[in-house]
Amino acid sequence: MSRKNGKITITIDNKSYKVRKNLTILQAAEQNNIYIPTLCAHKELSPHGGCRMCIVEVDGFRNFPTACTTPIEDGMIVRTHTTQVNTIRQEIIQLFMSEHPSSCLICDEKVECAEYLTTIHKAGVTTGCRYCANNGQCELQDVVEYLDVKEINYPIFYRNQRVEKEDPFYDRDYNLCILCGRCIRMCQEVRLANVLAFKFRGRNTIIGPAYDKTHLNSGCEFCGACVSVCPTGTLFEKARKWDGKPEREQISTCSFCGVGCQLRLLIKEDRVIGSLPLDDILVNHGQLCVKGRFCITEIVNGYKRLKAPYKLYRATNVIISWDEAIDIAVEKLQNCAPEKFGMLVSPNCTNEDLYVAQKFARVAMNSNHIDSSARLFYGEGINAYLNLLERAVSLSEARKADVILCIGLDTRYGRSVVGVELRWALKDGAKIITMNPRDHSIALLAEHWIRSRPGTETEILKQLNEIIAGKPNGKPTKYNDQKIWDLKSVAESLKHASKVAILIGSEFMQYSGSADLLLEIEKLAIRLNAGVLPLPAQNNFFGSILMGTYPEFLPGGFSSRNKEKTNDFSKLAGRNRSSFKWDWNIVAINSRDKLEVLYLMGEIPPGSTKNPAEFIISQNIYPSDDQFQADLVFPAAAFTESEGTFINGEGRIQKVNQAVNPPGKALPDWQILCKIAQRMGIAGFEFKSAAEIHAEIAKIIPQFSSFKKPGREARPLAVEGRFLIDKQQKSIPGASNRRDQLFLTTSLVEHSHRSIPLTSWVKGTTKIFSEGVLEISPQDAKKARIEDGDTVEVSSLNDKTEWPVKITPELSQGFLHVTVPQGNYSGPNPQKVRIRKKNV
Amino acid sequence: MISLLQRKEKALRQWESLIHNKIPVIYVGSATCGKAAGVMKLIDVIRDTLKLNELKAKIIEVGCIGPCYMEPLMDIKKPGYPRICYAGVTPEKARMIIEGFLIEDDPLLHLAVGHFATNGQNESLGIPHFFDLPMMKSQTRLVLRNCGFIDPENIDHYLANDGYQGLLKAFDVGHDEVIKQVKEAGLRGRGGAGFPTYKKWEICRNTSGKEKFMICNVSEGDPGAFMNRALIEGDPHCVLEGLLIAAYAIGADHGYIYINTDYVLAIQRLKIAVKQMQEYGLLGKNIQNSGFDFEVIIKEGAGAFVCGEETAQIACIEGKRGMPRSRPPFPAISGLFGKPTIINNVETLGTLPNILREGAEWYKHFGVEGNYGTKTFSLVGSIRRGGLIEVQLGIKLKQIVYDIGGGPWKAFKAVQTGGPSGGCLSEEFLDIPVEYESMQNAGSIMGSGGMIVMDEDTCVVDLALYFLDFTQKESCGKCSPCRVGTWQMVNILERIVKGDSEPDDLAQLQILAETCAKASLCGLGQTAPNPVLTTLRYFRSEYLAHVKEKYCKSAVCKELVYYEIIPDKCNGCKLCIDVCPTDAISGIKSEPHTIDLFRCIKCKACYEVCRYNPLAGNAIEFKSSKKMAVA
């Protein structure tokens, strides 16, 4: 009976063990490598005690307690494998099997069938049935095998449930369900989403959303956490349904947004077949969003992935060898004047790729014409956004705040990991305030939902600032459209909080006057001494600034007008240059003289021009023929196929590991650039691996010290440089309360990877992200006699555009919204428009 | 604030004027059982009659007094007479009695069943005292003492009958003394399991925590049980007083009454009672200057059977799906919202005012060692005098069935206690005393009070199937032995009653029942096989007859039976032709009839009439042959 070190002694199967207190019998047994079969217990979930497989005998207990629910006591004597216990377990597993199609479990032919699977059959015989996608990875199979059950003494009951396939990303076959309740507990206890529940009683008990709603309509975030914990084949990803058991796993970082979740990539036959969350204590705590969970495999395995370089020859694409491709590129580049060269690089690339890219532009091409689409995404507010990034706190820090103010953030699909943290914060007693003109996932959690009229946000925040400062001026309720929020009580909540965090999403980023909006946020943050967590849409936006892939920035985030730093960089690069001109950026592509060579690294040129340059080199993972015509195409490796680092929105440097080989002849971005530079005879591009690039970056940025294990601490961005901004047109505030006016807001595609919208390569996402459609409130639609799917002509001051319509109750009356690919919109945002139904 | 004592004095004066009334008082038993028997119409008729004859009388709707078989009941207390009880009062009878008694002063004693004369009053009416009726004689009414006497919607009536004296006593003696008294009284949970009430309380009382909860369990779901409903409908304040005493003992400041939403009248009366308590300062802050704060919330449940289980009920009150969870931790340590919680049955709570008021010693006069006190039962089934009864523990089953209930209509076969969770006891167990242990040893349980008596017309296999089907449908689906096990048992039993069974089936049934009992998560699953286990044990021969000979002794299992008319015996009385609902029997008078098996739906009507009607020749027999029956 020793109680030293908080340990107690228990006896399991006649052997005594010293274990920690506060464990269940099952945990104590697992720690000491004693196997107790179980189907419903899961290490991340609370004990359920439903499957009854883990029953044990405990001295002094009346019945057979379940090991998963019974806490251990000092001196407890447990027997896990007595005859009686085993008999009961066998009986119970038979009961399970009487409900579960069981030929995968107890088929007489199982062994022989496997043996003759490869034989040539001349008659139509069935060999090696595959009726369950989970075959070989099924926990029920394991338990049946362990218990050595060979037959079922009961009649078999097939539930005859329809296989539910209508929702995207995963199928549900509740005929296979053993009602262990893991998915429900995951949804309710860990994700706090409460979508799933038990339905009906007795034999008809089944799992699903209440009132037989579809998952789409019941608030499901499609995070796939339920799929991960399902012990049977009931829930299964559509994308890897018949891929079987993965061979190995590789840890990596997700590249779909600035949260930077840690992943476990599942690999089979040199193919990434799935992605699961890593139980990471810093960022995602074992959670993922729909993008990280379901979209990675579909993106990296798409059938149209580029596998070889090709060139445009007489209006057709001709596959060529790497040698030829590089020769063509070198010839064009060598003959190109620095001011006639342009390069666009995607902020989705790794730091190493970005560093090499800017080095390529600045050293090999002697040009400062390098930019990225992030400039368009953040528009005029980009500098203010940088200011906010400097005040960034980590997510786990923000979650501890008393009041969390979310501005333009929606966590239903993208960034749902943040949504989980918000729900936990709410559970721990935090107040949530959200500002968003749309109905969104946080509205449900929020104490105050500032449902602003689009365009009035800056004014609202200004007033909020004034109220908090104690000198309100004007009428604060002027914009109180819905009568559901009151700025004064919002201010009260914020004032009385001891710790405030402000989370910033992408909703208002493309608004005209977003700079003012972000400045107001900054003022608010300073006034409240709040931690800010901007959540960039681009996973490596932080990195792209630090690597200097903008005309205004040098590696290290220094301003390219800083002479000393320019000298340092030039010295390192082996060139003599003391200044960089700021004469070009991405916006200029369409307005200036045509470039001679435009090098696109994971980017597409903005605007609708098909030929923004005389010669276009495109280096990407997918062809983008429908948007523009590239003259030379290099196949790049996706982030699962190369090595490198990303920096997430909190400022953590995170490792990307190579999971599989690139398809065909595709190469990592940096390798292609190095090959060209070497062929051009430029020194300084003799990198053998990403690690070497990383080491060179470390000379400028000391945090980049270790490539193998980057320091993952959250470090707010602190850079010297700032963007040069052309002020756009002033916004026309949607403050008018006249109901007959319509205002159109536009936003850029947020969910994209290397300029490829996820919706174009992941079929399921078309159901959850509405892009390229005009969203309209039901009231307005009714007024204009528009139905879902109709085509509508939207006329603004400048132009007329046609879009298909989607009616959504998320929008309030008087507002329209459309998500467009980058560069495809003009005019102020929001802007007053008229709509007209097109006659078919 | 008017003190409770002052209110009591006022209430007593009121009560006295009611007893020594100047105008007649008409008591109508109008609990749900009465309403089902047509009391609502009866009350209208009484009012009309009074109005028509310009009579003055006070009508009081009281709760159920017990003998449901006599419903509707109407009592009249006229000055100069004791209160006289009339049974089976149809509207016509009511009119007759009122006109006869109130106008012509003739109590119509041939229609009366008993009187309620207290000592010294005129007892020479020629009818027995109500409590000397055979059904009432062996009963001891402690919990039900007010049911049928007071107006449940009038708190003054309750106060006048020693109401809330137990609570005041509890406030006097203090928390620990209350628990001590309950311990001395030996009160055990009346919900069925018989766990000593004080033990739970002590654990909860000793658990640290500022917030504690007290829950009153009115989730009465057994088929054929209604004692809890009747108690609340007849005397809601008694339960609420008990709730307050219990809450005071454990130090809870919030109480829930979990009640099935289909108990409409009970909920209505509870709500009225709670409102009255608030008016009288019996709820809220600092109740009667005791420093004790208490609030009651009435939580209506959707009526799932499993929600009678403690942990499932807690989940339900928390707003979750009513599913049980594994214990430990026990609710007394971590229950509602994770706080220490005590759940007591209605009857347990209803007993508390008596114990506190009269003391533990007094309470120990009732019942036997280890099983003190009384227990209410709803006596139903094939019984001559069914109804709500309260007996001292230790009474023999035989006494309940024969002395109180008057025996079954036909030959006794079995008695089922504890509803679907209980067991089916055969004739040999009639001599066992009604005690927690003895019932358990016999394979049944005391249960919350359902008692179903069966005669020879009941087939035990069919009975087991009925109960199993009930539990199967009510299983919450959480644990596999209960969800699938009960269903597989239903499967096997269905095979047996359909005559499709195989010899192994009984062994398989036994194994399954034992697995289910041993491995299920909660009480529902653990006790679900009891009907099967007990019938297998005590009526094995009947099972064997079903399995081997495909024969159902009671002719209940229709697929095992066919009817035959013995030509030699048939006297051609045509009685069977008259009763046959499907015209399956044909024949001419005085000549043997024939039965068309294709048309026959085996309703047994012809058999009954042929056997029991003196004109008939007892010529119809049922025979068993699987083949014939199917044909």
Side-chain angles (χ1 to χ4, degrees):
Chain A
M1 294 285 243
S2 99
R3 284 185 181 275
K4 275 178 205 165
N5 307 329
K7 288 202 170 184
I8 54 177
T9 313
I10 62 165
T11 310
I12 305 177
D13 297 336
N14 302 324
K15 267 179 89 176
S16 78
Y17 298 93
K18 278 198 174 140
V19 284
R20 265 193 304 125
K21 269 192 272 187
N22 305 328
L23 292 180
T24 61
I25 297 176
L26 185 69
Q27 286 165 333
E30 267 172 6
Q31 281 183 4
N32 293 296
N33 296 324
I34 300 162
Y35 177 69
I36 300 175
T38 175
L39 289 167
C40 68
H42 193 273
K43 62 182 190 323
E44 288 174 38
L45 306 171
S46 69
H48 183 62
C51 74
R52 316 304 288 173
M53 291 316 300
C54 66
I55 52 164
V56 288
E57 275 182 41
V58 180
D59 281 9
F61 273 63
R62 188 165 50 93
N63 238 325
F64 296 90
T66 39
C68 66
T69 59
T70 314
I72 50 169
E73 285 160 27
D74 201 14
M76 200 178 229
I77 297 167
V78 183
R79 275 177 291 274
T80 62
H81 294 93
T82 60
T83 329
Q84 208 180 4
V85 162
N86 270 345
T87 319
I88 295 175
R89 280 182 192 156
Q90 282 173 343
E91 280 298 317
I92 298 171
I93 203 79
Q94 284 189 40
L95 289 175
F96 270 124
M97 282 147 73
S98 75
E99 275 196 320
H100 186 100
S102 47
S103 43
C104 55
L105 304 170
I106 51 161
C107 181
D108 289 346
E109 314 285 327
K110 214 172 162 188
V111 180
E112 283 181 10
C113 191
E115 199 174 320
Y116 296 112
L117 203 58
T118 49
T119 327
I120 297 165
H121 299 289
K122 291 180 177 165
V125 292
T126 311
T127 309
C129 332
R130 283 184 85 186
Y131 23 68
C132 174
N134 212 29
N135 196 16
Q137 329 164 49
C138 176
E139 290 180 39
L140 187 62
Q141 270 179 333
D142 296 345
V143 172
V144 170
E145 200 165 302
Y146 168 80
L147 290 173
D148 198 24
V149 176
K150 294 268 161 55
E151 57 176 17
I152 308 173
N153 291 327
Y154 303 106
I156 293 189
F157 165 68
Y158 186 66
R159 289 202 193 108
N160 213 358
Q161 296 278 341
R162 190 178 58 86
V163 181
E164 297 170 20
K165 292 183 169 179
E166 61 277 5
D167 287 314
F169 306 115
Y170 59 92
D171 291 341
R172 306 181 297 273
D173 182 357
Y174 286 115
N175 297 309
L176 304 173
C177 180
I178 55 167
L179 291 155
C180 65
R182 280 190 195 177
C183 50
I184 293 176
R185 278 175 288 152
M186 188 42 117
C187 199
Q188 294 187 348
E189 293 171 4
V190 180
R191 298 283 303 193
L192 302 177
N194 293 312
V195 171
L196 296 177
F198 285 111
K199 299 192 288 186
F200 306 108
R201 284 183 221 167
R203 185 162 56 96
N204 301 323
T205 316
I206 204 93
I207 288 165
Y211 309 116
D212 280 346
K213 280 188 184 174
T214 61
H215 282 48
L216 264 177
N217 293 335
S218 54
C220 177
E221 295 173 340
F222 296 98
C223 66
C226 51
V227 183
S228 309
V229 292
C230 182
T232 65
T234 308
L235 306 177
F236 223 92
E237 287 149 64
K238 284 184 203 274
R240 70 167 179 116
K241 194 154 187 180
W242 300 104
D243 279 347
K245 203 175 177 177
E247 287 161 359
R248 59 191 175 92
E249 287 181 8
Q250 174 68 278
I251 291 169
S252 194
T253 305
C254 178
S255 73
F256 287 157
C257 81
V259 176
C261 298
Q262 297 298 294
L263 299 170
R264 281 157 53 205
L265 297 172
L266 307 179
I267 302 151
K268 189 178 183 185
E269 290 162 0
D270 206 28
R271 212 163 67 90
V272 174
I273 59 166
S275 49
L276 295 176
L278 182 73
D279 197 4
D280 173 62
I281 51 163
L282 292 177
V283 180
N284 53 325
H285 307 278
Q287 297 304 319
L288 279 183
C289 75
V290 58
K291 295 197 278 179
R293 181 71 172 80
F294 295 110
C295 298
I296 290 175
T297 46
E298 293 197 52
I299 286 283
V300 301
N301 295 325
Y303 70 95
K304 261 196 164 179
R305 273 293 299 275
L306 294 173
K307 295 187 182 73
Y310 60 79
K311 66 173 179 182
L312 187 70
Y313 179 70
R314 289 183 184 168
T316 38
N317 292 329
V318 182
I319 290 178
I320 50 178
S321 71
W322 268 115
D323 269 342
E324 194 187 340
I326 283 168
D327 281 341
I328 296 171
V330 166
E331 190 208 324
K332 285 283 171 192
L333 289 168
Q334 270 174 343
N335 296 329
C336 175
E339 62 274 12
K340 287 281 179 191
F341 172 79
M343 185 170 196
L344 295 181
V345 292
S346 164
N348 297 122
C349 297
T350 62
N351 291 320
E352 290 67 20
D353 292 335
L354 293 171
Y355 178 80
V356 172
Q358 65 84 29
K359 196 173 176 185
F360 182 83
R362 290 189 172 124
V363 178
M365 294 306 300
N366 199 18
S367 168
N368 196 30
H369 291 184
I370 181 162
D371 206 353
S372 115
S373 58
R375 182 194 290 274
L376 289 180
F377 193 85
Y378 297 102
E380 54 175 289
I382 194 159
N383 275 335
Y385 199 74
L386 286 192
N387 292 349
L388 290 171
L389 276 173
E390 283 183 358
R391 302 184 62 85
V393 292
S394 67
L395 181 57
S396 43
E397 195 64 28
R399 180 203 171 300
K400 288 179 200 147
D402 305 337
V403 175
I404 302 173
L405 175 62
C406 304
I407 296 173
L409 179 67
D410 187 358
T411 59
R412 167 111 192 243
Y413 298 120
R415 309 192 182 98
S416 71
V417 173
V418 178
V420 175
E421 293 296 316
L422 283 177
R423 288 194 286 263
W424 274 104
L426 185 72
K427 206 176 180 188
D428 294 347
K431 278 184 195 168
I432 292 172
I433 302 167
T434 178
M435 179 155 101
N436 203 326
R438 292 179 72 110
D439 194 357
H440 58 301
S441 65
I442 305 170
L444 270 176
L445 320 171
E447 187 170 88
H448 302 287
W449 170 21
I450 308 176
R451 192 168 194 178
S452 54
R453 297 176 69 81
T456 65
E457 288 81 8
T458 315
E459 192 58 32
I460 290 170
L461 284 177
K462 201 181 252 168
Q463 288 181 0
L464 188 62
N465 262 326
E466 282 164 2
I467 298 172
I468 292 173
K471 36 182 176 183
N473 101 47
K475 288 178 201 156
T477 48
K478 187 176 158 196
Y479 302 113
N480 193 342
D481 180 36
Q482 303 287 323
K483 306 270 179 224
I484 48 171
W485 51 277
D486 167 24
L487 219 48
K488 271 186 188 157
S489 47
V490 172
E492 283 303 301
S493 305
L494 286 170
K495 249 199 291 192
H496 295 303
S498 62
K499 203 175 162 197
V500 179
I502 303 176
L503 305 193
I504 302 162
S506 312
E507 184 76 31
F508 307 123
M509 286 308 154
Q510 286 95 39
Y511 277 17
S512 313
S514 63
D516 298 340
L517 177 76
L518 292 166
L519 279 177
E520 287 300 330
I521 297 175
E522 197 186 344
K523 271 190 213 164
L524 192 66
I526 293 167
R527 179 153 286 141
L528 296 166
N529 193 20
V532 185
L533 178 56
L535 294 155
Q538 300 79 6
N539 66 311
N540 204 20
F541 176 59
F542 217 132
S544 72
I545 287 172
L546 273 184
M547 293 306 117
T549 62
Y550 303 91
E552 296 92 337
F553 290 88
L554 285 178
F558 300 110
S559 168
S560 56
R561 283 190 177 154
N562 182 333
K563 289 211 167 123
E564 190 191 336
K565 293 293 171 188
T566 313
N567 277 331
D568 288 356
F569 171 73
S570 302
K571 235 177 266 166
L572 191 78
R575 284 240 175 188
N576 249 339
R577 193 163 181 170
S578 56
S579 72
F580 288 108
K581 273 189 195 162
W582 294 3
D583 59 346
W584 183 91
N585 65 30
I586 188 168
V587 185
I589 283 189
N590 292 320
S591 55
R592 289 283 180 88
D593 302 339
K594 256 192 183 178
L595 293 170
E596 260 173 44
V597 178
L598 178 62
Y599 200 117
L600 301 167
M601 187 171 115
E603 287 278 17
I604 53 169
S608 43
T609 336
K610 281 244 168 188
N611 280 313
E614 276 163 30
F615 193 81
I616 300 177
I617 303 171
S618 170
Q619 172 177 318
N620 211 340
I621 58 172
Y622 279 102
S624 32
D625 299 339
D626 43 344
Q627 276 125 7
F628 67 98
Q629 194 81 54
D631 299 280
L632 187 62
V633 175
F634 291 138
F639 77 101
T640 52
E641 294 143 10
S642 57
E643 266 193 306
T645 53
F646 286 145
I647 308 180
N648 77 346
E650 304 160 286
R652 298 180 200 278
I653 304 171
Q654 306 196 102
K655 185 83 192 293
V656 181
N657 289 316
Q658 182 177 3
V660 292
N661 290 313
K665 292 177 182 168
L667 289 174
D669 290 303
W670 62 268
Q671 277 189 27
I672 302 171
L673 290 169
C674 287
K675 273 188 180 203
I676 299 169
Q678 280 173 343
R679 190 74 60 91
M680 283 167 78
I682 314 277
F685 288 89
E686 296 82 11
F687 301 114
K688 291 275 176 315
S689 66
E692 287 179 17
I693 307 168
H694 197 86
E696 188 172 318
I697 300 171
K699 287 182 194 162
I700 305 164
I701 309 166
Q703 296 96 288
F704 278 61
S705 53
S706 164
F707 184 64
K708 270 190 182 160
K709 269 200 171 171
R712 289 187 58 212
E713 59 272 25
R715 196 181 283 117
L717 183 83
V719 292
E720 182 200 47
R722 282 295 180 268
F723 287 91
L724 184 74
I725 301 167
D726 315 324
K727 273 260 177 184
Q728 290 188 347
Q729 280 158 282
K730 262 281 171 200
S731 63
I732 301 168
S736 160
N737 276 321
R738 283 183 58 192
R739 297 270 172 200
D740 53 341
Q741 288 182 338
L742 284 174
F743 284 87
L744 172 73
T745 55
T746 41
S747 58
L748 295 178
V749 173
E750 184 189 348
H751 307 293
S752 65
H753 181 64
R754 296 181 72 118
S755 299
I756 304 151
L758 292 188
T759 43
S760 58
W761 288 103
V762 187
K763 206 178 149 200
T765 53
T766 52
K767 289 197 178 176
I768 59 173
F769 302 135
S770 33
E771 287 166 13
V773 291
L774 183 79
E775 290 173 279
I776 187 169
S777 67
Q779 297 93 324
D780 290 326
K782 205 177 161 194
K783 218 156 84 183
R785 297 199 185 124
I786 297 170
E787 278 168 37
D788 245 349
D790 283 350
T791 306
V792 157
E793 187 187 75
V794 181
S795 42
S796 65
L797 281 174
N798 304 339
D799 57 0
K800 283 183 181 171
T801 330
E802 284 175 21
W803 274 303
V805 159
K806 187 183 165 193
I807 298 171
T808 168
E810 288 175 15
L811 285 175
S812 50
Q813 198 181 349
F815 292 97
L816 310 168
H817 179 263
V818 67
T819 306
V820 293
Q822 61 183 43
N824 273 6
Y825 84 102
S826 60
N829 183 17
Q831 57 183 328
K832 201 156 74 175
V833 292
R834 279 198 310 277
I835 55 169
R836 194 166 62 88
K837 189 176 166 183
K838 280 292 269 188
N839 292 328
V840 182
Chain B
M1 190 90 196
I2 311 160
S3 79
L4 201 64
L5 223 65
Q6 285 165 312
R7 293 212 191 255
K8 189 190 171 182
E9 275 167 21
K10 198 181 147 214
L12 268 175
R13 281 200 300 278
Q14 256 183 35
W15 182 255
E16 281 303 309
S17 71
L18 195 71
I19 302 288
H20 306 291
N21 50 346
K22 302 228 165 54
I23 55 164
V25 183
I26 303 172
Y27 298 85
V28 188
S30 57
T32 302
C33 49
K35 288 194 169 168
V39 156
M40 295 321 285
K41 205 178 167 197
L42 185 66
I43 291 176
D44 287 344
V45 169
I46 294 171
R47 285 222 176 90
D48 289 349
T49 316
L50 291 175
K51 207 172 165 189
L52 204 70
N53 297 304
E54 292 176 348
L55 292 167
K56 261 196 173 173
K58 198 175 161 80
I59 303 171
I60 295 181
E61 293 182 27
V62 294
C64 176
I65 201 163
C68 294
Y69 74 103
M70 294 190 206
E71 300 266 19
L73 289 164
M74 179 177 82
D75 301 3
I76 296 183
K77 168 81 179 77
K78 197 186 164 188
Y81 286 92
R83 177 171 158 183
I84 296 171
C85 176
Y86 300 90
V89 186
T90 55
E92 291 74 36
K93 264 193 196 171
R95 205 171 289 132
M96 214 160 90
I97 294 166
I98 290 169
E99 286 173 357
F101 197 7
L102 299 190
I103 299 174
E104 288 158 33
D105 204 28
D106 173 13
L108 298 174
L109 288 176
H110 61 285
L111 295 174
V113 287
H115 65 80
F116 292 93
T118 42
N119 288 344
Q121 266 184 319
N122 183 3
E123 288 179 34
S124 58
L125 285 169
I127 52 168
H129 191 280
F130 188 80
F131 286 128
D132 287 335
L133 290 174
M135 183 175 181
M136 309 306 286
K137 210 171 177 181
S138 311
Q139 294 191 40
T140 310
R141 292 166 69 91
L142 299 184
V143 179
L144 301 176
R145 66 192 176 96
N146 287 329
C147 289
F149 291 97
I150 64 166
D151 181 354
E153 298 186 5
N154 190 342
I155 188 172
D156 286 338
H157 280 199
Y158 184 64
L159 274 178
N161 286 282
D162 293 335
Y164 291 107
Q165 297 311 300
L167 181 67
L168 293 182
K169 196 83 165 280
F171 288 158
D172 279 349
V173 296
H175 306 273
D176 296 325
E177 182 63 24
V178 175
I179 298 182
K180 208 179 133 204
Q181 290 223 6
V182 172
K183 180 181 178 180
E184 272 171 20
L187 180 63
R188 298 170 70 171
R190 293 291 189 251
F195 191 75
T197 306
Y198 83 92
K199 260 193 195 168
K200 271 211 265 196
W201 287 10
E202 259 181 6
I203 297 168
C204 185
R205 173 104 187 116
N206 295 335
T207 307
S208 57
K210 214 174 164 190
E211 213 176 359
K212 287 173 189 174
F213 290 103
M214 181 70 217
I215 299 173
C216 171
N217 183 349
V218 206
S219 174
E220 191 176 38
D222 310 17
F226 51 79
M227 35 316 132
N228 296 347
R229 186 192 65 207
L231 175 58
I232 289 183
E233 285 173 355
D235 195 4
H237 283 287
C238 154
V239 177
L240 284 162
E241 186 184 349
L243 184 68
L244 254 72
I245 293 171
Y248 176 73
I250 61 164
D253 53 2
H254 274 87
Y256 283 87
I257 300 176
Y258 183 92
I259 183 161
N260 290 349
T261 191
D262 49 348
Y263 280 11
V264 180
L265 185 64
I267 293 171
Q268 184 192 328
R269 290 195 168 154
L270 272 177
K271 281 184 177 161
I272 293 170
V274 167
K275 213 173 161 197
Q276 288 168 343
M277 285 171 78
Q278 282 161 348
E279 278 169 28
Y280 278 45
L282 289 161
L283 284 176
K285 296 266 175 223
N286 192 12
I287 296 166
Q288 300 299 322
N289 294 323
S290 60
F292 170 59
D293 306 335
F294 194 65
E295 289 294 344
V296 173
I297 297 156
I298 297 169
K299 165 79 187 173
E300 292 175 38
F305 183 58
V306 75
C307 286
E309 205 274 348
E310 285 187 334
T311 52
Q313 191 163 93
I314 286 171
C316 196
I317 294 175
E318 285 173 350
K320 297 176 187 154
R321 178 182 161 98
M323 293 219 284
R325 62 161 173 80
S326 299
R327 293 174 292 186
F330 289 90
I333 291 164
S334 169
L336 190 62
F337 304 114
K339 305 282 182 341
T341 305
I342 289 293
I343 298 185
N344 277 140
N345 177 263
V346 187
E347 203 185 325
T348 318
L349 296 178
T351 312
L352 292 173
N354 290 328
I355 296 178
L356 265 289
R357 197 179 61 240
E358 308 286 349
E361 278 309 309
W362 169 84
Y363 191 70
K364 281 165 104 171
H365 290 139
F366 306 98
V368 292
E369 177 88 46
N371 282 271
Y372 292 115
T374 57
K375 174 90 195 78
T376 56
F377 286 100
S378 52
L379 189 60
V380 293
S382 166
I383 189 97
R384 281 169 206 273
R385 296 193 288 260
L388 173 69
I389 61 165
E390 182 174 356
V391 292
Q392 295 189 34
L393 288 173
I395 192 173
K396 298 264 191 301
L397 258 182
K398 200 178 217 161
Q399 278 175 287
I400 295 183
V401 174
Y402 285 95
D403 296 353
I404 297 175
W409 290 105
K410 291 180 186 171
F412 178 87
K413 186 168 200 172
V415 55
Q416 167 94 12
T417 58
S421 307
C424 194
L425 301 179
S426 59
E427 195 159 6
E428 60 200 280
F429 291 96
L430 277 178
D431 279 328
I432 63 162
V434 177
E435 287 166 21
Y436 288 102
E437 288 76 17
S438 57
M439 299 292 271
Q440 204 152 12
N441 291 342
S444 181
I445 56 167
M446 173 82 85
S448 60
M451 189 173 279
I452 303 167
V453 181
M454 286 156 279
D455 62 19
E456 58 180 6
D457 273 357
T458 310
C459 167
V460 289
V461 185
D462 185 62
L463 175 89
L465 174 61
Y466 170 78
F467 280 123
L468 251 295
D469 194 45
F470 177 83
T471 34
Q472 184 266 120
K473 283 176 179 152
E474 287 293 338
S475 165
C476 74
K478 182 168 179 175
C479 76
S480 44
C482 173
R483 182 185 74 242
V484 197
T486 51
W487 175 68
Q488 290 290 8
M489 276 192 266
V490 168
N491 246 353
I492 296 176
L493 287 168
E494 265 175 0
R495 281 214 301 272
I496 294 176
V497 299
K498 281 183 183 157
D500 297 335
S501 53
E502 284 151 21
D504 295 350
D505 275 351
L506 289 188
Q508 195 60 49
L509 192 62
Q510 183 87 29
I511 294 171
L512 201 49
E514 280 167 13
T515 309
C516 192
K518 279 176 193 162
S520 288
L521 194 158
C522 77
L524 181 122
Q526 286 163 8
T527 55
N530 276 351
V532 171
L533 285 170
T534 46
T535 47
L536 266 179
R537 200 155 124 202
Y538 306 132
F539 299 93
R540 200 173 184 86
S541 60
E542 233 174 280
Y543 274 93
L544 286 174
H546 277 75
V547 175
K548 284 187 181 159
E549 296 150 36
K550 315 282 182 213
Y551 178 66
C552 177
K553 205 164 85 179
S554 324
V556 173
C557 305
K558 289 187 175 154
E559 297 193 26
L560 301 184
V561 176
Y562 77 99
Y563 290 87
E564 201 179 86
I565 300 172
I566 313 292
D568 291 349
K569 284 187 177 176
C570 182
N571 58 15
C573 66
K574 282 190 94 171
L575 282 170
C576 53
I577 297 177
D578 293 345
V579 294
C580 181
T582 55
D583 294 336
I585 305 172
S586 55
I588 45 174
K589 188 130 186 108
S590 305
E591 280 187 32
H593 302 330
T594 51
I595 186 163
D596 179 357
L597 291 180
F598 284 101
R599 283 191 178 177
C600 178
I601 55 163
K602 297 158 191 172
C603 65
K604 216 182 176 182
C606 55
Y607 175 82
E608 299 273 313
V609 73
C610 195
R611 190 170 167 208
Y612 293 112
N613 197 310
L615 296 176
N618 197 6
I620 299 179
E621 285 176 5
F622 60 84
K623 294 191 171 176
S624 180
S625 149
K626 180 67 183 158
K627 268 183 196 163
M628 283 304 284
V630 169

